[in-house]
Amino acid sequence: MRPPAEPRRPPPLLLVLVSNFVLSFGKETLQTTAVTPQFQKNMDYVDFIYLNILEKKVLNNSEVSVQYLCSKPCIVSLEAVASSEFRTGVPVYRRRWKDEKNLYVTRTRQVHLKFPSIMVYRDDYIIRNSIIVHSVILYAWISHRSASNYGEEQNEDYQAAVAKNYTFLEAVPPFERPYKDHKVCLQWGADYLWMLQANRIPQCPHETDGVQVLEFIYASSGEKTGIVKKFEQFENRELETVRQHQIDYPMFTISIWLYLLHHCEKDLCGILYFIDSKEMYGTPAVFLNEEGYVHIQMHLMRGDDLAVKTSFSLPLKQWFRLDLSFKGGQIEVSSVGKNLKRHHHQSFTFREDFYYDDTAGYFVLGGSGYVNGIEAFFGPVRYYRLNVLETEQISNPLHDKDTVEQIELYYERCMDIQDIVHDYRYIVRQGEKTHRSCYYENYYLELIHKYGEKSKCDAFMWGKELREKYHTLFKLLQKMDFSSPDEDGSDTVVEVGRRIFEKVVKGLSSANGLSNLGSSVPLLVDSSCCGYHKASYFLAVIFETGLGVPVDRIKGLLYSLVGAQGNERLSVMNLGYKHYQGINNYPLDLELSYAYYSNIAIKTSLDQHNIKGEQAFVETIRLMDDELLKAQTKENGDVFMWLKHEATRGNAAAQQRLAQMLFWGQQGVAKNPEAAIEWYAKGAIETEDPVLIYDYAIVLFKGQGVKKNIKLALELMKKAAAKGLPQAVNGLGWYYHNFKRDYKKAAKHWLIAEELGNPDASYNLGVLYLDGIYPGVPGRNQTVAARYFYKAAQGGHIEGTLRCSLYYITGNMEDFPRDPEKAVIWAKHIAEKNGYLGHVIRKALNAYLELSWHEALLHYILAAETGIEVSQSNLAHICEERPDLARKYLATDCVWRYYNFSVSQVNAPSFAYLKMGDFYYYGYQNQSRDLELSMRMYAQAALEGDSQGFFNLALVMEEGNSIPSYILDHLEIDQALHSSNTSLLQELYYRCWNNSNQESISPCSLALLYFYMRVLWNNVLHSTLIYFMGTFLLSILVAFAVQSFQSLSGNDSEDSTRAVQQDEPTLSNDLSQQESNPQSPLGTS
């Protein structure tokens, strides 16, 4: 058996491990001693050297026994070389000596090794940065000295030695090393500080280079939104050092699970890519093209970008894993199936290494403002920041197998349904074409076609098994009319889905519609499969809440994902909300929540410019607010008719309000842009009102519901601006920017409008700086642009808020440190203004006002599950008002669920906090009593300015309970000033009174008065004055009693005869009185 290969000793390095890592040349050792007698010099001897160490550890003053033999004058060298994770081959100890006389004799020398302090001692007050050593090799070798070149420099290298040897020394972990005795005296303060932390071992959090970028399934709809991930530097300094060293020679691996629905429709679609700090594509940028091939773009060290394309395409409608590994200038791409068997593999080699710094920017999964995302479901995504792994080494399992399988089964079923619908319509249309040729020759047949029963297909071409499997669909298709052409050019299959959905919703909105939910589910499934994803959202809500059916979380998640992938706005918002709150078994994931919310936020801005579609203005109308409910109207309502009457008379305010209601669909009025524009035009011409003039100019500029008329619009805009209307001044700047490309005039008007407080102007100025076209300012200035966008966002500007939310999620702007939660809140705020959500809320409110309880409950549940607070509290109110309805059709506790959801919102109303406070205080149904949570809810209501919150906290204290200190701090009550219960009660009652209506007598004012009276009475009872007053009053009472007794005794003898004579009638009178009034106490006595 061969001995292990000898490690090659590295040449001396110029680099040292750290700044205070100095070489040690040892100290004087003991004299060498001969252990073998001297033989004759002419004998043939071989030089050797051996090392003997009792304790093979890196310790200071370790003793090494060196045994050697020299056949010629020689130099014996000893050297210790240390290695860490970041440095190798660093000499840390050197020692050498000459031996010219003791030839042919085995000699032994004892050497004491001395290592740098940072290798053998623990950190202390002087040694600040001890190092972790991985290995230390002690080399020993002999070099001969030539007699002819004795004075010259000799080659004493290890590789040229005539005899050599080595041994390994075991490194000691830093916290197992001893402290060094520095033989110095520290000052008292320094010594005390050191003693406080002398034996404290710091523990770093567990950190690895493997990062789970995505754990939960993400539905990518192919829009310009996606998941944004940003990676920070490693906390572990060793890992961070490796990462920095690999910037110019990257080594990393990415593993992505995908369920691809379609290849890219146009150009490239984003799978995963890196955006650097300059908002440019970095390494890597992975896209999908129209043919399904993977397009990979890399940023090279010299600054260029190069791209390659795989020779294999990605499969559709099946789960697979895409593995990409990068090493220097090489790329390995693999496609792996669910069984983890490799389907495809390809390698690429570049002539130059890649440049890669994953902390100088952010990653995107899916779409962004630069590229559309893929139409797919993303599964788990794993990223190894520092390692290149083979497919077998990657640990990225496909979790949630139930949902994964449900997605596969759903699309398999939907392929059958779509084929059936498409073929059925084709057969019916072909039959109609055959008959239509006869209509022009036979008038009777033409009348039958026009007024008779519509064509249908009775002779099925499908097999019995398929007909039985989809019997509901076939039955419904026979009832549909396919004779009319698709006027809007919509997809036939989607149109069939829409018809099925509308049929179902009509039935569910009837008087007892919810009782039909069970039978409606198969029809909704068919509608969803046809691509009409309003049905998908209905199904998601039905299964998640148990509306008329048992709760099924897996199916609820399935249809939420399917609806979101199909771009159904309410489904997308539902997922965004669930991931924002981390509820209903959805993991809390702010980046994932932002991906969904930003999608709808962008659509909200676009939807507001589209006057078509089922949209309504999102209004905050609470069912507990009677005044707002009374203000709701319809086209035949009193409020609307009165406004119309006043508008006809020329009232500018009435014309403006009427036009707004009709244009946006507000206050219960159906959206009617054409009628709204008539009132805008009438007001602009007749009343000279600047707001009406401006509004009419805008619709003329954009051609919304009316033919474009730029000339008239400009005249009206100038007229409104002349009247000092800020938005009109901004409108003039918009005209010069969009129509004249005169940026100087545009900036001039926008600066004036911004000074007048117009947020649109602030946003527009930001756009000029962002595009690099601001007059007199060369190039783009994103920093100034971002400040203008932030100012616009503070004024409620939708696009400005969107820009700021993007800055917060990416963290690429200096003034916007990364804050995913703030990004989600801002995007959620805009998404909840979406007109399609407003339409659902309006339908729910109208149904409630009409006492259509089933329809109101259905639509409020649909709105509440998107996360909009006003619908959640309204739904809880309905469930309180009609508990029988909630218990019958909802599997979840409606009141508890939606009040709980409400108080978790940023904009929760105070009455919701009070409700939850009461539930926790008394214990709601199956929920246990929780006094601390109850006080937290009351305190939150108090912070919202509700006097009832302070009142309830005071009552809790009156019952002998104490309020936790953190709640008092939250209420900003100084515990030092209010240390006693009396003082604290006084503060709570005072704040209760201060936050209530002080012009009238309120419960808080009575409670405060009663509290003061109790305090006064307690003070009187506990004072010395009460004893003096008591004695004085007792003396007076005794004197009065004595005097009364004496006066009565003097009159007894004079009136005795009279008293006897009068006894009988007095008694008689008393009896008569008693009989006449038997209930009277006087008669009884």
Side-chain angles (χ1 to χ4, degrees), residues 630-920:
K630 289 176 183 177
Q632 301 307 302
T633 184
K634 287 189 175 181
E635 289 78 353
N636 57 354
D638 293 340
V639 175
F640 185 84
M641 297 303 291
W642 180 82
L643 281 172
K644 191 173 182 179
H645 172 72
E646 289 296 309
T648 306
R649 293 179 56 192
N651 186 321
Q655 290 172 342
Q656 183 180 333
R657 182 65 193 135
L658 198 64
Q660 287 176 350
M661 290 166 64
L662 288 165
F663 193 86
W664 297 107
Q666 295 178 347
Q667 212 168 321
V669 177
K671 193 173 182 180
N672 190 343
E674 291 77 12
I677 290 167
E678 291 180 8
W679 287 110
Y680 281 135
K682 182 178 176 64
I685 295 170
E686 292 181 0
T687 65
E688 296 290 317
D689 181 73
V691 176
L692 286 168
I693 295 172
Y694 167 77
D695 288 338
Y696 187 47
I698 287 294
V699 296
L700 287 173
F701 267 129
K702 296 184 177 181
Q704 291 179 320
V706 69
K707 188 178 179 181
K708 280 188 179 182
N709 191 333
I710 305 299
K711 184 178 180 181
L712 178 58
L714 180 60
E715 291 177 6
L716 292 172
M717 192 67 75
K718 288 181 176 179
K719 192 174 183 180
K723 292 178 179 290
L725 191 68
Q727 52 263 47
V729 180
N730 172 74
L732 285 177
W734 177 80
Y735 166 79
Y736 286 115
H737 177 274
N738 282 35
F739 294 96
K740 296 296 183 181
R741 304 298 178 191
D742 190 338
Y743 304 129
K744 189 173 183 180
K745 281 188 177 181
K748 177 183 176 182
H749 284 90
W750 285 338
L751 286 170
I752 296 171
E754 195 215 10
E755 289 181 2
L756 295 173
N758 183 258
D760 291 325
S762 300
Y763 178 80
N764 292 335
L765 287 169
V767 171
L768 288 182
Y769 278 104
L770 187 65
D771 293 342
I773 55 176
Y774 191 90
V777 178
R780 305 174 69 208
N781 193 325
Q782 294 190 59
T783 304
V784 177
R787 291 170 186 165
Y788 276 115
F789 292 147
Y790 186 78
K791 189 173 182 179
Q794 289 180 314
H797 195 275
I798 289 180
E799 285 83 0
T801 307
L802 272 173
R803 288 277 186 181
C804 291
S805 71
L806 179 63
Y807 293 149
Y808 280 123
I809 196 68
T810 61
N812 249 13
M813 294 298 298
E814 183 179 352
D815 295 339
F816 293 83
R818 191 166 193 265
D819 191 338
E821 184 174 5
K822 188 176 287 187
V824 171
I825 291 172
W826 284 40
K828 180 177 184 287
H829 174 70
I830 299 303
E832 290 180 349
K833 295 178 181 292
N834 191 271
Y836 289 91
L837 173 62
H839 177 71
V840 175
I841 296 173
R842 171 49 60 181
K843 288 184 73 173
L845 181 60
N846 288 345
Y848 176 81
L849 295 174
E850 295 169 1
L851 301 181
S852 180
W853 293 104
H854 285 243
E855 186 180 4
L857 183 66
L858 173 64
H859 285 93
Y860 267 126
I861 290 175
L862 293 172
E865 288 295 312
T866 65
I868 187 164
E869 189 283 321
V870 64
S871 294
Q872 292 173 340
S873 55
N874 282 350
L875 177 57
H877 177 77
I878 288 178
C879 293
E880 283 184 307
E881 198 171 353
R882 289 293 308 272
D884 57 324
L885 199 68
R887 284 195 298 268
K888 184 176 181 181
Y889 294 110
L890 278 170
T892 55
D893 190 329
C894 176
V895 177
W896 175 267
R897 174 184 174 90
Y898 291 104
Y899 273 134
N900 232 330
F901 283 177
S902 177
V903 297
S904 300
Q905 303 274 20
V906 176
N907 57 338
S910 61
F911 70 81
Y913 290 117
L914 294 173
K915 282 281 185 184
M916 289 305 300
D918 291 344
F919 291 160
Y920 285 122

Side-chain angles (χ1 to χ4, degrees), residues 410-637:
Y410 171 83
Y411 283 102
E412 287 176 10
R413 184 181 191 279
C414 289
M415 286 176 66
D416 292 342
I417 289 178
Q418 290 173 11
D419 290 341
I420 290 170
V421 171
H422 187 272
D423 293 343
Y424 185 93
R425 176 183 174 277
Y426 176 78
I427 293 170
V428 172
R429 286 290 182 89
Q430 288 298 113
E432 286 180 355
K433 287 180 181 179
T434 304
H435 293 302
R436 193 175 296 121
S437 60
C438 304
Y439 295 160
Y440 300 106
E441 301 175 4
N442 191 321
Y443 180 68
Y444 175 71
L445 290 177
E446 185 178 354
L447 291 177
I448 290 178
H449 173 73
K450 188 173 182 180
Y451 300 106
E453 188 177 350
K454 302 302 178 186
S455 300
K456 61 181 181 180
C457 181
D458 293 321
F460 291 114
M461 57 177 283
W462 299 275
K464 181 180 178 181
E465 184 180 350
L466 201 62
R467 293 204 309 271
E468 289 178 353
K469 185 177 181 181
Y470 303 114
H471 68 279
T472 308
L473 176 63
F474 282 113
K475 187 176 179 181
L476 197 63
L477 288 173
Q478 286 182 292
K479 297 179 181 179
M480 285 190 175
D481 178 18
F482 291 97
S483 58
S484 57
D486 301 326
E487 296 178 358
D488 57 354
S490 60
D491 186 1
T492 303
V493 179
V494 176
E495 177 61 21
V496 170
R498 184 187 66 80
R499 294 184 192 180
I500 298 173
F501 175 77
E502 289 178 352
K503 178 181 174 66
V504 172
V505 171
K506 186 177 180 180
L508 295 178
S509 300
S510 60
N512 294 307
L514 294 182
S515 58
N516 302 321
L517 261 171
S519 59
S520 299
V521 167
L523 294 174
L524 288 172
V525 171
D526 291 341
S527 176
S528 169
C529 274
C530 289
Y532 197 72
H533 290 296
K534 285 186 179 180
S536 302
Y537 181 61
F538 264 63
L539 289 166
V541 172
I542 287 171
F543 285 117
E544 281 196 357
T545 62
L547 182 61
V549 299
V551 173
D552 192 328
R553 302 288 185 193
I554 294 175
K555 286 187 178 179
L557 171 60
L558 167 68
Y559 288 108
S560 290
L561 291 169
V562 168
Q565 200 288 319
N567 246 333
E568 165 54 31
R569 289 162 175 76
L570 272 63
S571 279
V572 178
M573 291 182 67
N574 171 43
L575 288 173
Y577 171 65
K578 299 296 170 59
H579 285 296
Y580 171 51
Q581 295 288 351
I583 52 180
N584 285 19
N585 298 322
Y586 289 78
L588 177 65
D589 191 328
L590 295 177
E591 286 94 350
L592 188 51
S593 174
Y594 177 81
Y596 290 123
Y597 270 129
S598 61
N599 184 3
I600 304 306
I602 293 171
K603 283 183 170 60
T604 298
S605 176
L606 300 174
D607 290 341
Q608 288 190 352
H609 299 293
N610 183 11
I611 61 176
K612 296 181 180 180
E614 295 180 333
Q615 296 193 69
F617 190 79
V618 179
E619 300 170 280
T620 304
I621 300 171
R622 303 194 182 277
L623 301 184
M624 292 72 75
D625 193 332
D626 293 332
E627 294 299 322
L628 270 179
L629 291 180
K630 289 176 183 177
Q632 301 307 302
T633 184
K634 287 189 175 181
E635 289 78 353
N636 57 354

Side-chain angles (χ1 to χ4, degrees), residues 213-269:
V213 178
L214 181 65
E215 293 184 5
F216 204 74
I217 296 175
Y218 166 55
S220 175
S221 60
E223 301 291 313
K224 289 193 171 184
T225 54
I227 301 173
V228 176
K229 290 284 184 179
K230 189 174 180 68
F231 298 101
E232 303 297 334
Q233 296 181 356
F234 286 104
E235 293 182 12
N236 185 307
R237 62 185 183 185
E238 296 186 2
L239 292 177
E240 177 57 22
T241 304
V242 172
R243 188 196 67 81
Q244 291 181 5
H245 284 187
Q246 291 185 2
I247 288 177
D248 55 358
Y249 191 85
M251 296 174 64
F252 63 96
T253 305
I254 300 172
S255 176
I256 309 170
W257 280 102
L258 289 171
Y259 186 87
L260 201 59
L261 295 175
H262 305 285
H263 293 149
C264 191
E265 290 186 1
K266 184 180 179 182
D267 299 330
L268 299 174
C269 297

Side-chain angles (χ1 to χ4, degrees), residues 355-397:
Y355 177 84
Y356 181 62
D357 183 358
D358 63 354
T359 64
Y362 57 92
F363 275 98
V364 179
L365 279 173
S368 68
Y370 305 106
V371 65
N372 288 83
I374 56 174
E375 294 184 56
F377 294 99
F378 281 86
V381 178
R382 184 81 172 171
Y383 169 39
Y384 296 91
R385 301 177 66 181
L386 303 178
N387 285 300
V388 176
L389 302 179
E390 297 292 333
T391 299
E392 297 77 14
Q393 297 175 303
I394 295 173
S395 176
N396 185 27

